[in-house]
Amino acid sequence: MQEELQRIRRETLERMAGIVSEAELNSVQQEVFGKNGRLTTILRTMGQLSKERRAAMGAAVNEVKKELEVRLSEIRAALKQKAQEQRFAREALDVTEAADFALPRGALHPMTQTYRTIRDALIGMGFSMFDGPEIELDDNNFTLLNLPLDHPARDMQDTFYINDKVLLRTHTSPCEIRALQTIKPPFRLIMPGRVFRVDEVDATHYPIFMQIEGFVVDRNLSLANLKGTLDSFIHAVFGKDIKTRLRPSYFPFTEPSAELDMSCTICGGKGCRVCKGTGWIELLGCGVTNPHEIMNCGYDPKEWTGIAFGIGVDRVTSLKYGISDIRIEYENDARFLKQF
Ligand code: DAH
């Protein structure tokens, strides 16, 4: 029996030396200490021994049992430790590592760039900002601007009416009325904003678009002042080589009225498809403020004169960047915007 005990001890220690997993450890434990394990079996058979031998054998078995149990729990602890170290190594974070935090950079919308170039050029000439509402009185949008009651622009087909007296402004020109009603002349104002017209969306029409109104009221203003003002910001947007001309036109709120053409940005004035062979591109409407408008706002047109212009920001932008479809300027597709 002593021999059997020593064999169990030796063989168990040998087996334990090669253990690499908790499952192996469990099965060795079962083989030795389990219900039918080798040591359990020895303990069970000890009842057959004489009293003296049983005492001696009992002490020997207990010693082996204790030794093996201690070894077992050492190995269990070592396996646990190793598993934890492996997990730590796997989950380790280098908190000092340089991270790629670079966020994709945005840029200003091309229309914003155009708008700011025009605005900055005008501010350099002593203009200030003035704001009017998008929901306007019919009076400000039409009547006081000298648009007669039967003017075609008042048609429901062209204007979003909210009720008989209120509408979505069709241009930024009603800001002129608000300026004259609230600020004492002389003044020089930039009045940018959204305007609205009933239009089917296509390559050249959009029902909401951006305008910039320029409005100067002072004594003795003339077309020459107007031309000089327009040239200075057109040169800022398109470069010094651009030529401009005023062509007679008609707007109810200006007299005389003109449209400003600039030399074609594509062919430089020789004539091409974009300028339809003329060498000129129509850019904006402008004029000397009609005395009726000045009078409608309570000022004496013999003393006060005005010059004014209205620009479509999308049009200037498409001419500057060669954009052939107005829709992409308003739809904010990132693939388009990324190019600016
Ligand atoms: N309000 C006009 C439009 O939307 C543009 C315009 C023309 C504005 C002549 C002006 C101007 O101030 O003098 O078509």
Side-chain angles (χ1 to χ4, degrees):
M1 210 178 236
Q2 262 295 348
E3 262 171 45
E4 169 68 1
L5 181 64
Q6 287 313 314
R7 192 162 52 242
I8 293 172
R9 176 181 175 272
R10 202 175 54 243
E11 285 175 6
T12 307
L13 284 173
E14 261 168 35
R15 288 208 47 201
M16 287 202 287
I19 279 175
V20 294
S21 76
E22 208 170 328
E24 280 176 86
L25 189 68
N26 289 339
S27 82
V28 172
Q29 186 175 28
Q30 189 66 24
E31 275 168 40
V32 180
F33 298 103
K35 207 161 148 234
N36 295 310
R38 296 171 76 183
L39 263 187
T40 318
T41 309
I42 284 201
L43 280 168
R44 207 180 292 137
T45 54
M46 277 191 6
Q48 298 154 10
L49 299 176
S50 69
K51 212 176 170 190
E52 300 80 50
R53 286 203 59 206
R54 197 193 304 160
M57 196 59 202
V61 172
N62 271 334
E63 203 175 308
V64 170
K65 185 169 176 247
K66 210 167 179 186
E67 183 190 359
L68 293 180
E69 276 172 350
V70 167
R71 190 78 199 104
L72 212 77
S73 65
E74 281 170 1
I75 294 173
R76 197 176 291 286
L79 284 174
K80 252 208 183 96
Q81 168 95 13
K82 204 168 152 206
Q84 194 180 50
E85 277 165 14
Q86 283 172 345
R87 194 171 62 103
F88 285 173
R90 207 170 47 238
E91 295 176 356
L93 287 178
D94 178 1
V95 292
T96 65
E97 187 178 291
D100 184 9
F101 281 137
L103 291 172
R105 269 193 70 169
L108 292 176
H109 192 287
M111 281 206 287
T112 306
Q113 294 183 29
T114 303
Y115 159 63
R116 290 193 182 181
T117 307
I118 296 173
R119 178 198 64 186
D120 293 350
L122 290 170
I123 286 197
M125 291 186 279
F127 279 66
S128 350
M129 307 298 299
F130 185 85
D131 203 18
E134 292 171 358
I135 297 174
E136 245 315 352
L137 296 172
D138 177 284
D139 273 354
N140 291 346
N141 196 81
F142 294 129
T143 315
L144 295 170
L145 282 168
N146 196 39
L147 266 103
L149 266 169
D150 57 358
H151 195 282
R154 287 179 173 242
D155 200 322
M156 298 282 284
Q157 304 288 314
D158 298 308
T159 303
F160 290 107
Y161 277 95
I162 289 168
N163 59 40
D164 284 353
K165 292 184 160 44
V166 182
L167 45 73
L168 297 182
R169 66 180 178 191
T170 60
H171 51 179
T172 44
S173 301
C175 295
E176 296 186 10
I177 302 301
R178 289 183 178 265
L180 280 167
Q181 288 172 343
T182 53
I183 309 175
K184 265 176 91 97
F187 54 68
R188 301 171 199 187
L189 301 174
I190 315 163
M191 312 185 278
R194 272 194 206 85
V195 302
F196 308 84
R197 285 185 204 172
V198 181
D199 261 328
E200 290 287 342
V201 175
D202 65 24
T204 54
H205 294 89
Y206 214 77
I208 305 174
F209 54 102
M210 292 284 303
Q211 281 191 340
I212 303 172
E213 190 85 9
F215 189 37
V216 181
V217 176
D218 207 332
R219 296 178 176 92
N220 304 316
L221 291 172
S222 73
L223 268 185
N225 300 110
L226 180 64
K227 178 83 162 42
T229 306
L230 296 173
D231 281 356
S232 72
F233 75 74
I234 288 163
H235 289 149
V237 177
F238 293 100
K240 290 261 179 280
D241 294 338
I242 292 289
K243 289 194 232 354
T244 60
R245 72 176 184 192
L246 289 175
R247 183 166 38 78
S249 183
Y250 170 74
F251 299 102
F253 33 92
T254 41
E255 182 57 42
S257 301
E259 266 167 83
L260 182 114
D261 296 340
M262 64 171 189
S263 53
C264 179
T265 46
I266 307 294
C267 64
K270 283 190 211 72
C272 68
R273 209 165 51 87
V274 172
C275 59
K276 298 188 187 86
T278 63
W280 293 97
I281 292 179
E282 193 181 307
L283 195 62
L284 56 84
C286 58
V288 174
T289 305
N290 192 306
H292 284 109
E293 178 184 331
I294 306 269
M295 216 151 45
N296 289 344
C297 298
Y299 287 95
D300 179 359
K302 287 200 194 74
E303 180 181 4
W304 296 105
T305 51
I307 52 174
F309 52 89
I311 322 162
V313 182
D314 52 66
R315 178 160 173 79
V316 179
T317 305
S318 44
L319 287 170
K320 182 169 170 62
Y321 296 107
I323 298 164
S324 55
D325 191 322
I326 185 180
R327 284 171 287 200
I328 58 174
E329 289 185 57
Y330 287 104
E331 283 166 3
N332 288 326
D333 187 321
R335 290 166 300 181
F336 165 71
L337 295 177
K338 256 196 214 132
Q339 301 172 39
F340 297 89

